[in-house]
Amino acid sequence: MSSENNKADAQIQAHRKQHQQQKTKLFGGAGIVAAITLVSIVLYYVLSAEPAEKIDAEIIQAEVSMSQADMAALREAFKQALIQYELNVQPSINEIIMMTDFRANKVSELALIKDQALTAFAQGAFVQSTQIIEELAQKSTILINAWQAQIALHVSNGQQAFSNDEMAQAQLQVNKALALSPSNIKAMALENRIYAFGEASKLMQELKIAVSENNWPKQVAVITDIIEIDPLRGELAQTLANAQAQHDKQQLAKYLGQAAQALRANALNKAQQLVSQAQAIEPNSKGAQALSAQIYQARAQQSLTATKKSIKSAAQNDDWTQVSALVSSTLAKHPSDTDLQNYRSQAQQVLSAKQSLAPFFAAPKRLADDNIREAASSAVQTAFLASLLSPSLQQQIENVAKSIDEYNKPVEVRINSDGLTYITVVGVGHVGEHAQKIISLNPGKYVLQGQRQGYRNKRLEFTVDANTPISLTLICDERI
């Protein structure tokens, strides 16, 4: 705002200099009375050669009698009015002056009025100068409105001619509008449309063909090109929207059809890509949702098939621990799959059998105990069916059975007596009366019993250890 104040002050100062050489120092000293000032001003305007600059003496007299504060307020009011005029009105007036002879007499009148306002202010007629500047603003506004109305009329006529395909008339009206205002946005926009009319007309013919062929992609492309060339063709906006909607439907159906075809060919990645393209057009497409579900199921089935293949391979490789792990993780997703259930049952049988044989396989010497050997035999019998699935289990069974046989092998037992005592192995058989006899007994615990007429019977408990021959002596030598 300070720069505008400076500009206003400069204009005022220029007018003051025009008269300063003719004036006496009426305002130079504080002791000069207002009456002398008034007389000097009146005499100046009486002698002036420019009638437009004569100021009403009564007005000057009234203003001279004002207080210094009132005078300062009037001066500031004028300056502000002048600043607003320079900011808001003068640029348009300048454009009218520079670019056209539009109502030249009115333009000249405005220049005179402005000069009067500045002169009145320079001579101290602050009230009158403010009134004149207000008159200037009003008349300037009237001129500007008429100027703008004339431009608008030319533009409107040009637009009407353009709508009727009368390009020569449209260009004439544009030229008239631009002659009045070379920077008028609407006139320049219409001129651009006129320049683009030839190309746009060709595209309109292409559009008619595309419409007749129901070629929606072509319609979208051509309309887009037309609007790009001529953005003001608002009438094509709805046509473009309809064409785009139809094009989207075609594309949606195309992508969904191709996705279904890829799904049938088990090309799941391609099918998913096509479904994603369809969803980009219509996110809530029921068809796309259905295909997505089918692709998910197909992926799950594909994954299940691959897992079953791995399970089968692990079973063939006798890796039943891996079989069990794969089955457990997969059954959580496919709990009703019979193949997985069968594999789980087989894995449980093999691993359970191996676990039951492990103690005997790891410490075969324990089989020397009858109870342990019996437990081992039972475990071997139980594991036999599962061994049909596992070569390693078969080997374990064979090793444990061999150990059982080793510890079940008969051991040589030498029995010594007097040849008169009749000896039996309780629960096993008779040895008879012999001084020495060798028999064979399986490892285990036994009782040797001796009998002789007239002598007390005797019993001898003994244990037969595997692979350990023993010698026993039993004689009935206590008389009854």
Side-chain angles (χ1 to χ4, degrees):
M1 181 62 74
S2 60
S3 63
E4 296 300 333
N5 273 307
N6 293 338
K7 184 177 179 181
D9 289 338
Q11 291 188 54
I12 294 168
Q13 189 64 27
H15 278 75
R16 280 178 174 168
K17 284 183 178 180
Q18 183 176 353
H19 302 284
Q20 246 173 353
Q21 294 177 352
Q22 303 175 34
K23 294 180 182 178
T24 59
K25 296 181 179 179
L26 299 176
F27 302 99
I32 299 178
V33 296
I36 298 175
T37 302
L38 177 60
V39 170
S40 298
I41 294 173
V42 170
L43 288 174
Y44 169 75
Y45 281 105
V46 169
L47 298 174
S48 174
E50 296 180 17
E53 294 183 357
K54 292 182 179 179
I55 308 301
D56 191 327
E58 293 181 2
I59 294 175
I60 295 175
Q61 177 62 40
E63 293 186 12
V64 168
S65 64
M66 290 182 182
S67 67
Q68 291 295 324
D70 290 340
M71 296 283 281
L74 287 171
R75 284 197 298 272
E76 185 61 27
F78 175 83
K79 290 174 66 175
Q80 292 303 318
L82 180 60
I83 289 171
Q84 292 302 315
Y85 182 83
E86 293 294 334
L87 286 173
N88 302 324
V89 183
Q90 190 64 53
S92 296
I93 297 300
N94 290 342
E95 187 174 358
I96 295 173
I97 293 171
M98 302 230 2
M99 304 308 301
T100 180
D101 58 356
F102 179 78
R103 300 191 183 181
N105 59 328
K106 293 293 184 182
V107 174
S108 299
E109 180 185 355
L110 294 178
L112 290 175
I113 294 174
K114 184 177 181 181
D115 188 68
Q116 288 176 1
L118 292 169
T119 301
F121 181 82
Q123 295 179 356
F126 302 131
V127 173
Q128 187 176 16
S129 63
T130 302
Q131 293 173 345
I132 296 172
I133 202 72
E134 290 175 354
E135 178 188 359
L136 174 64
Q138 292 174 357
K139 290 188 175 182
S140 296
T141 301
I142 293 171
L143 179 62
I144 292 170
N145 289 341
W147 172 63
Q148 292 176 340
Q150 187 62 52
I151 295 170
L153 178 61
H154 289 316
V155 172
S156 176
N157 291 339
Q159 290 172 339
Q160 184 62 45
F162 181 87
S163 299
N164 296 333
D165 293 342
E166 298 172 354
M167 295 302 113
Q169 181 62 26
Q171 185 64 61
L172 176 62
Q173 293 297 324
V174 165
N175 292 343
K176 290 181 178 181
L178 292 176
L180 292 173
S181 177
S183 61
N184 185 269
I185 300 299
K186 291 184 178 180
M188 290 190 294
L190 180 56
E191 186 172 47
N192 289 336
R193 296 190 71 188
I194 293 170
Y195 290 157
F197 179 78
E199 185 62 27
S201 297
K202 294 178 184 177
L203 291 173
M204 288 297 292
Q205 292 300 318
E206 292 185 27
L207 178 59
K208 289 180 180 179
I209 296 172
V211 170
S212 66
E213 295 174 348
N214 282 330
N215 188 337
W216 302 110
K218 182 68 174 177
Q219 290 182 44
V220 171
V222 172
I223 295 173
T224 302
D225 288 344
I226 293 173
I227 293 177
E228 184 177 349
I229 292 173
D230 187 358
L232 297 180
R233 285 187 178 268
E235 73 278 4
L236 292 178
Q238 187 58 48
T239 305
L240 176 60
N242 293 337
Q244 186 66 61
Q246 293 298 327
H247 178 46
D248 288 347
K249 287 182 180 179
Q250 279 189 345
Q251 287 295 101
L252 179 64
K254 173 186 172 183
Y255 289 141
L256 294 180
Q258 291 177 344
Q261 185 177 0
L263 179 59
R264 287 192 294 270
N266 208 31
L268 303 185
N269 289 337
K270 182 178 181 181
Q272 184 59 62
Q273 181 182 6
L274 289 164
V275 167
S276 297
Q277 289 176 301
Q279 289 175 325
I281 296 173
E282 187 177 334
N284 297 323
S285 168
K286 299 297 183 182
Q289 292 174 2
L291 281 172
S292 291
Q294 293 177 36
I295 292 171
Y296 176 82
Q297 292 174 357
R299 287 190 189 279
Q301 186 60 44
Q302 197 175 64
S303 175
L304 176 60
T305 301
T307 303
K308 284 184 178 181
K309 185 177 180 180
S310 298
I311 292 172
K312 183 178 180 180
S313 177
Q316 290 174 344
N317 293 330
D318 198 17
D319 188 355
W320 290 95
T321 301
Q322 178 70 3
V323 170
S324 179
L326 290 172
V327 167
S328 297
S329 62
T330 310
L331 267 175
K333 298 178 183 177
H334 307 277
S336 60
D337 189 271
T338 55
D339 290 336
L340 294 177
Q341 292 173 353
N342 290 336
Y343 276 119
R344 177 177 62 181
S345 176
Q346 292 172 359
Q348 289 174 345
Q349 291 177 40
V350 172
L351 295 176
S352 177
K354 285 188 173 185
Q355 185 176 8
S356 66
L357 291 175
F360 313 118
F361 181 74
K365 290 183 178 181
R366 297 177 66 236
L367 294 173
D369 183 274
D370 289 344
N371 292 330
I372 293 177
R373 197 164 56 250
E374 184 178 350
S377 298
S378 176
V380 166
Q381 292 176 5
T382 303
F384 179 76
L385 185 61
S387 69
L388 299 176
L389 302 170
S390 172
S392 61
L393 178 58
Q394 292 174 11
Q395 187 62 48
Q396 284 187 5
I397 290 175
E398 183 178 341
N399 292 338
V400 173
K402 188 181 292 184
S403 297
I404 292 174
D405 290 342
E406 185 71 20
Y407 283 94
N408 269 336
K409 186 169 135 182
V411 177
E412 184 180 281
V413 178
R414 185 185 299 273
I415 299 176
N416 301 302
S417 188
D418 55 4
L420 300 174
T421 300
Y422 190 87
I423 296 174
T424 59
V425 180
V426 178
V428 178
H430 297 271
V431 176
E433 296 175 351
H434 299 281
Q436 187 180 77
K437 187 175 182 179
I438 297 175
I439 62 174
S440 295
L441 293 176
N442 291 331
K445 292 182 177 182
Y446 298 92
V447 176
L448 198 65
Q449 180 173 286
Q451 295 176 330
R452 181 181 176 185
Q453 187 69 31
Y455 291 84
R456 293 183 183 278
N457 293 341
K458 285 189 176 181
R459 293 171 64 89
L460 176 64
E461 295 181 357
F462 66 96
T463 300
V464 177
D465 294 326
N467 301 317
T468 308
I470 61 173
S471 179
L472 302 172
T473 300
L474 182 61
I475 300 173
C476 291
D477 54 5
E478 294 181 13
R479 288 185 178 273
I480 297 176

